């Protein structure tokens, strides 16, 4: 008869504890009792395994060892706010600190707003018709680049407010990569000296390799822009109208002609740049060109790893010859030595629009030939030999189409995304690949803009020397 009374006493004690825990939610300045996050340690696995010192007592059944799900603990609130370049507002009873004057409400509201837009998938109606998380983050990086560097058509330092905005927003978007990890077998040494195998985590290999490289390229590009403090060249308004502050006689010269007439035109004095300034400008141009190549290589590697969407495969033509046309097919199917440069010279591509159209057709034919080469056939011996010969021919055509596509991108470095690249970005579900692809793409675009702006200044310098 003692058992029911003891059970009721325990139940009342549990009810009292639960009521005290719920009462803690009324005080928003501190978390409820019993809900503090514990730092990961080896004691967690020992408690759950029923070893001495465990509050659960010894267990006759072996338990699977536990380990932390991340290589490092999430940053505390103060460090997170510092990372976002925000400061805590002073407390008090006034309403300056947000709702009810609580400290940090403004910063938390900012974090809620940004990540809520990502979770909604750009669908503010909340009906669930938004894009995936990977596409939302990719669009966020692209839109941030357009906001910060959209009007960057001159070799000059980035305004401090835009530079701060770029670093703050990118740091917030890239923080997702800190929690994209992979499992690997590891060993853990307990307090008594015994060793057991556990599953630990580490950053995913593609993010671990490419993300630090992209951050370094980002810093180098901003350093190049910051180095243009005092220059021997300046810019005039469009249509050749000189700024009011410029008093030195000059003659604006541009090799673009009527194309992209809205861009500012660089201007130098009649003698031209000094030898030191020209050499320094050429070094910065070469550095930006190497950054452009590195970002392009990372972007191509990431795009190659993204799975080809099924919709693109269904839209491919049945014959590669019908995709590229008779002229390109005759050059590519010639049994002798093949030169992609000679083929592009014969095509006489003069604009980026024609280059993009040719790239789409060649890329589609490349995947058609690869698909045919990978198909296996089980027929009669003669049919098997015939299929083997056709497979070798398809492999050759696919390899040559890849060479033509690479040469075409090298001739037109500012080429837009092909149909396959755009479909991969649109239907990609991997968040890590989306971040790496969009980050490398915007850095590639920024480096290309720096190279073209430097070429404009060097062209104006050559024209000024000829006039002098």
């Amino acid at each position: 008869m003692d058992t029911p009374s003891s059970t009721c006493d325990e139940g009342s004690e549990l009810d009292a504890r639960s009521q005290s825990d719920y009462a803690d939610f009324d005080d928003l300045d501190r978390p409820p009792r019993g809900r503090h996050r514990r730092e990961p340690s080896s004691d967690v696995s020992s408690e759950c395994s029923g070893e001495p010192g465990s509050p659960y007592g010894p267990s006759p059944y072996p338990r699977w060892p536990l380990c932390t799900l991340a290589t490092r603990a999430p940053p505390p609130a103060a460090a997170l706010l510092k990372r976002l370049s925000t400061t805590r507002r002073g407390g008090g009873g006034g309403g300056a600190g947000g709702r009810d004057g609580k400290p940090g409400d403004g910063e938390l509201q900012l974090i809620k707003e940004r990540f809520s837009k990502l979770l909604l998938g750009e669908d503010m109606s909340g009906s669930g018709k938004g894009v995936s998380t990977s596409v939302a983050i990719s669009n966020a990086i692209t839109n941030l680049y357009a906001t910060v560097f959209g009007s960057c058509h001159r070799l000059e330092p980035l305004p401090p407010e835009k530079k701060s905005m770029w670093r703050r927003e990118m740091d917030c978007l890239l923080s997702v990569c800190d929690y994209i990890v992979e499992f690997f077998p590891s060993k853990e040494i307990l307090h008594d000296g015994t060793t057991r195998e556990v599953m630990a985590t580490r950053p995913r290999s593609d993010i671990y390799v490419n993300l630090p490289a992209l951050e370094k390229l980002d810093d180098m590009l901003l350093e190049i822009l910051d180095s243009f403090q005092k220059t021997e060249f300046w810019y005039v308004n469009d249509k050749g109208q000189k700024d009011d502050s410029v008093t030195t006689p000059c003659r604006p010269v541009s090799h673009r002609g009527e194309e992209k007439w809205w861009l500012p035109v660089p201007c130098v004095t009649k003698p031209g740049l000094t030898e030191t300034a020209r050499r320094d400008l050429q070094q910065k141009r070469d550095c930006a060109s190497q950054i452009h190549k590195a970002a392009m290589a990372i972007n191509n590697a990431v795009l190659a790893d993204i799975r080809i969407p099924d919709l693109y495969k269904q839209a491919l033509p049945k014959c590669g010859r019908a995709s590229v046309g008779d002229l390109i097919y005759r050059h590519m199917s010639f049994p002798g030595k093949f030169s992609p440069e000679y083929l592009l010279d014969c095509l006489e591509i003069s604009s980026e629009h024609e280059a993009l159209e040719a790239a789409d057709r060649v890329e589609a034919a490349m995947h058609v030939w690869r698909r045919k080469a990978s198909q296996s056939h089980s027929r009669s011996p003669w049919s098997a030999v015939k299929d083997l010969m056709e497979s070798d021919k398809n492999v050759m055509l696919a390899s040559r189409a890849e060479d033509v596509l690479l040469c075409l991108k090298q001739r037109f470095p500012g080429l837009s995304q092909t149909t396959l690249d755009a479909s991969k970005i649109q239907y990609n579900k991997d968040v890590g690949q989306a971040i790496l692809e969009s980050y490398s793409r915007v850095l590639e675009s920024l480096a290309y803009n720096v190279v073209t702006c430097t070429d404009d200044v060097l062209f104006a310098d050559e024209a000024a020397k000829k006039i002098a």
Side-chain angles (χ1 to χ4, degrees):
M1 299 299 293
D2 296 334
T3 303
S5 60
S6 60
T7 305
C8 295
D9 294 339
E10 291 178 358
S12 59
E13 183 180 357
L14 291 176
D15 293 339
R17 291 180 181 177
S18 61
Q19 291 176 2
S20 62
D21 288 342
Y22 285 116
D24 288 336
F25 284 100
D26 297 334
D27 189 2
L28 299 180
D29 292 336
R30 67 175 187 272
R33 289 193 299 270
R35 298 176 183 267
H36 295 285
R37 182 181 59 84
R38 297 189 57 182
E39 296 295 333
S41 62
S42 59
D43 296 338
V44 178
S45 57
S46 64
E47 290 178 1
C48 295
S49 58
E51 295 179 357
S54 174
Y56 304 102
S59 175
Y61 302 102
R63 296 180 181 269
W64 186 259
L66 301 178
C67 64
T68 57
L69 294 180
T71 55
R72 58 179 180 181
L80 180 59
L81 296 179
K82 183 178 180 181
R83 191 176 186 180
L84 296 174
S85 298
T86 56
T87 57
R88 287 187 178 273
R89 301 180 184 178
R99 291 192 304 246
D100 299 332
K102 298 292 183 180
D105 281 345
E107 291 80 2
L108 293 178
Q109 188 67 25
L110 180 63
I111 297 174
K112 288 180 180 179
E113 179 182 356
R114 292 174 181 173
F115 281 92
S116 296
K117 292 180 179 180
L118 294 178
L119 293 175
L120 287 173
E122 301 176 359
D123 180 22
M124 301 310 170
S125 64
S127 58
K129 299 180 180 179
V131 297
S132 61
T133 306
S134 57
V135 177
I137 293 181
S138 178
N139 293 340
I141 295 177
T142 305
N143 295 335
L144 177 62
Y145 170 79
T147 303
V148 177
F149 298 99
S151 59
C152 182
H153 303 300
R154 305 186 181 193
L155 296 178
E156 59 184 8
L158 197 65
E161 60 275 4
K162 286 190 175 182
K163 185 177 180 180
S164 176
M165 177 183 180
W166 170 256
R167 293 191 181 278
R168 181 180 65 252
E169 299 287 341
M170 282 303 300
D171 195 25
C172 184
L173 293 172
L174 296 179
S175 63
V176 181
C177 295
D178 295 340
Y179 303 93
I180 301 178
V181 295
E182 60 185 5
F183 290 91
F184 72 100
S186 180
K187 294 183 179 181
E188 181 183 9
I189 302 177
L190 301 179
H191 296 291
D192 55 358
T194 58
T195 304
R196 61 180 177 181
E197 294 184 354
V198 296
M199 294 299 293
T201 57
R202 61 188 175 190
R204 209 171 69 180
S205 57
D206 57 341
I207 296 176
Y208 180 78
V209 172
N210 293 322
L211 186 58
L214 292 175
E215 291 178 342
K216 181 62 177 178
L217 297 179
D218 189 357
D219 294 337
M220 293 173 64
L221 284 175
L222 293 181
E223 288 178 1
I224 292 177
L225 292 177
D226 291 339
S227 63
F228 292 103
Q229 296 286 347
K230 297 180 180 179
T231 59
E232 298 181 3
F233 59 89
W234 59 92
Y235 290 88
V236 296
N237 298 329
D238 52 357
K239 296 297 182 180
Q241 297 178 2
K242 194 189 308 183
D243 294 337
D244 296 336
S245 59
V246 178
T247 58
T248 307
C250 64
R251 181 181 179 183
V253 180
S254 176
H255 64 281
R256 291 188 301 264
E258 294 298 330
E259 184 182 4
K260 297 182 180 180
W261 54 267
W262 64 89
L263 297 179
V265 181
C267 186
V268 298
T269 58
K270 288 184 178 180
L273 301 175
T274 60
E275 188 64 25
T276 303
R278 181 178 178 83
R279 183 171 59 252
D280 181 66
L281 192 62
Q282 185 64 39
Q283 291 178 355
K284 294 176 182 178
R285 193 263 181 200
D286 296 339
C287 182
S289 178
Q290 294 298 324
I291 295 175
H292 175 262
K293 293 179 180 179
M296 181 185 295
I298 295 177
N299 186 262
N300 292 335
V302 174
L303 284 174
D305 292 338
I306 299 178
R307 189 180 64 86
I308 300 178
D310 296 334
L311 293 178
Y312 181 83
K313 294 180 181 179
Q314 297 173 3
L316 288 176
K318 296 183 178 180
C319 180
R321 182 172 184 173
S323 177
V324 296
D326 294 336
L327 176 62
I328 299 179
Y329 183 79
R330 283 198 301 267
H331 283 83
M332 296 179 64
S333 60
F334 187 74
K337 185 178 180 181
F338 175 72
S339 174
E341 291 83 2
Y342 177 75
L343 174 59
L344 295 181
D345 292 338
C346 295
L347 295 178
E348 297 180 354
I349 300 177
S350 58
S351 63
E352 292 186 358
H353 178 73
E354 296 178 357
L356 183 61
E357 183 181 358
D360 284 334
R361 292 189 284 111
V362 171
E363 193 171 35
M366 179 183 67
H367 287 283
V368 170
W369 289 322
R370 285 181 177 177
R371 182 176 59 185
K372 289 184 177 180
S374 61
Q375 290 176 351
S376 59
H377 303 275
S378 57
R379 300 177 183 176
S380 61
W382 168 245
S383 299
V385 173
K386 184 179 179 181
D387 292 340
L388 182 61
M389 295 174 60
E390 292 180 353
S391 177
D392 292 340
K393 183 178 180 181
N394 291 326
V395 171
M396 180 195 68
L397 291 174
S399 177
R400 292 183 175 182
E402 186 177 4
D403 295 339
V404 173
L405 188 63
L406 179 61
C407 183
L408 193 61
K409 291 182 178 181
Q410 291 177 351
R411 284 199 177 189
F412 297 90
L415 197 64
S416 303
Q417 297 173 350
T418 61
T419 303
L420 177 58
D421 295 342
S423 60
K424 282 185 175 182
I425 296 173
Q426 181 180 359
Y427 296 102
N428 175 41
K429 302 297 182 181
D430 193 295
V431 177
Q433 290 179 343
I435 293 177
L436 294 177
E437 190 280 327
S438 56
Y439 196 15
S440 60
R441 172 162 41 86
V442 297
L443 292 182
E444 177 185 346
S445 179
L446 179 59
Y448 178 73
N449 290 340
V450 173
V451 172
T452 54
C453 291
T454 308
D455 290 338
D456 292 342
V457 177
L458 294 176
F459 181 82
D461 177 57
E462 291 292 338
K465 288 183 177 180
K466 292 180 181 180
I467 295 176

